[in-house]
Amino acid sequence: MKLVKVTPHYKPGISLVQLNRPKELNALNSKVMQSLRDHLTSLDQDPKVKVIILTGNEQAFAAGADIKEMSDKGAIEMLKIDQFKTWDQIRKIQKPIIAAVSGFALGGGCELAMTCDMIIASESAKFGQPEIKIGVMPGAGGTQRLTRAVGKVRAMELVLTGKFISADEALQFGLVNKVVPVESCLHEAVKLATAIAKMPSVAVRLAKESINQAFETHLDEGLQFERKNFYLLFASKDQKEGMRAFIDKRDPDFEGD
Ligand code: CAA
């Protein structure tokens, strides 16, 4: 059974990637993460793909890193395995990734959803960082990304108590873009992906990179970074086409160059 199922051309410009370890609630063992990294990297290089949707199943997006795989390891062994290297590679994917989350998104599962660029959540979704309950803490970016997404006091409560929050709470906290009925979760993700896929792809890539830069730098450096990418877009054909189409009062015909 494939641990990660991929439909590269699910809809025009849109790929669908599905975590597929249902019996273990999509627990993210090293094979799953390596396969996910490999697929995302190859989709990132496919010029026909504009946006990627990452999903799980109705029960779980992912219930965290695989506890059974980690439980007997020592610190130095964990250090040598360096499981988070694959996460760093996923973080560097240039195309937008939308997480379509139903059921559990816990620990590494919540962190994986937050590594994506946007999150559409089903009403059934449950988010949390319960690592504290098993004697550890988030290790795949949870303390950093959750804090940036929901603020310090909420992140503290979630990480220090390990409690789960509902999709509605996640929406209220600014963790997800939208909450929809379970049956329309993928459809909503496709709608969002379709809107982005129509946009000029170089501008999409540089805009994603610039937004992510907001988390890496001070405001002044971030503004310089954004400005350079903004100027760079004036070398693209799609900038000329987009602005000319506006002036001509017609729809633009973007070519991705
Ligand atoms: N790792 C390994 N196996 C897992 C798993 C995980 N994170 N989550 C669930 N499973 C397995 C269970 O062991 C069980 O397998 P068996 O049938 O072989 O016993 C199967 O999936 C179904 O799970 P449950 O029987 O527990 O299902 P439930 O509906 O009673 O409970 C749950 C669901 C509340 C999500 C519960 O499974 C749970 O608490 N899971 C662990 C959540 C967690 O602690 N995640 C954080 C992991 S550490 C981490 O992610 C570190 C990091 O930052 C990278």
Side-chain angles (χ1 to χ4, degrees):
M1 191 174 72
K2 285 191 174 162
L3 293 172
V4 178
K5 293 205 276 192
V6 181
T7 314
H9 306 295
Y10 180 65
K11 302 276 175 195
I14 301 168
S15 302
L16 181 65
V17 178
Q18 186 182 18
L19 301 169
N20 188 37
R21 243 192 125 199
K23 277 195 201 134
E24 292 82 7
L25 302 179
N26 287 335
L28 303 166
N29 65 13
S30 44
K31 279 195 180 138
V32 171
M33 290 310 296
Q34 282 159 13
S35 169
L36 181 61
R37 184 264 326 268
D38 292 345
H39 286 301
L40 292 177
T41 305
S42 104
L43 294 173
D44 210 24
Q45 285 159 5
D46 180 342
K48 287 198 188 122
V49 175
K50 308 286 180 205
V51 184
I52 301 163
I53 296 174
L54 175 61
T55 196
N57 55 50
E58 277 196 20
Q59 233 192 332
F61 177 73
D66 192 318
I67 300 169
K68 291 166 193 164
E69 192 180 56
M70 293 184 289
S71 64
D72 292 331
K73 301 261 187 307
I76 302 304
E77 212 179 337
M78 288 296 280
L79 182 85
K80 284 185 176 165
I81 294 169
D82 195 11
Q83 69 187 92
F84 298 123
K85 201 159 68 187
T86 49
W87 291 74
D88 288 336
Q89 290 161 329
I90 290 171
R91 181 166 63 94
K92 300 212 165 119
I93 298 294
Q94 292 177 329
K95 289 176 184 164
I97 309 179
I98 299 171
V101 176
S102 296
F104 297 112
L106 303 175
C110 186
E111 290 166 306
L112 182 61
M114 290 191 290
T115 303
C116 297
D117 302 303
M118 289 153 277
I119 305 176
I120 301 291
S122 291
E123 287 162 350
S124 72
K126 285 190 181 62
F127 296 86
Q129 297 290 160
E131 292 91 340
I132 202 94
K133 294 188 193 163
I134 53 168
V136 286
M137 57 176 274
T143 61
Q144 305 304 300
R145 288 203 180 86
L146 190 67
T147 308
R148 286 173 166 120
V150 307
K152 174 183 156 179
V153 295
R154 285 167 174 156
M156 282 285 182
E157 187 178 345
L158 284 171
V159 173
L160 302 190
T161 68
K163 71 184 255 194
F164 301 166
I165 54 169
S166 67
D168 283 337
E169 283 171 294
L171 182 66
Q172 196 196 326
F173 288 3
L175 185 62
V176 306
N177 293 71
K178 199 167 183 181
V179 178
V180 296
V182 181
E183 59 280 8
S184 42
C185 188
L186 189 54
H187 176 70
E188 281 295 330
V190 169
K191 253 170 65 183
L192 178 58
T194 304
I196 297 166
K198 283 184 189 151
M199 297 300 151
S201 45
V202 183
V204 167
R205 172 179 152 185
L206 294 185
K208 168 172 168 165
E209 188 184 276
S210 299
I211 291 169
N212 282 335
Q213 195 67 17
F215 299 113
E216 312 285 344
T217 56
H218 299 295
L219 182 60
D220 199 43
E221 266 177 77
L223 291 174
Q224 294 303 329
F225 187 89
E226 177 190 80
R227 208 158 296 164
K228 281 187 190 147
N229 276 345
F230 180 74
Y231 295 151
L232 181 58
L233 284 170
F234 284 74
S236 72
K237 287 186 188 154
D238 283 347
Q239 175 269 329
K240 296 285 171 292
E241 167 62 10
M243 293 195 179
R244 178 47 57 198
F246 174 80
I247 294 163
D248 295 347
K249 300 189 187 302
R250 60 175 173 81
D251 287 336
D253 182 14
F254 292 129
E255 288 179 4
D257 290 321

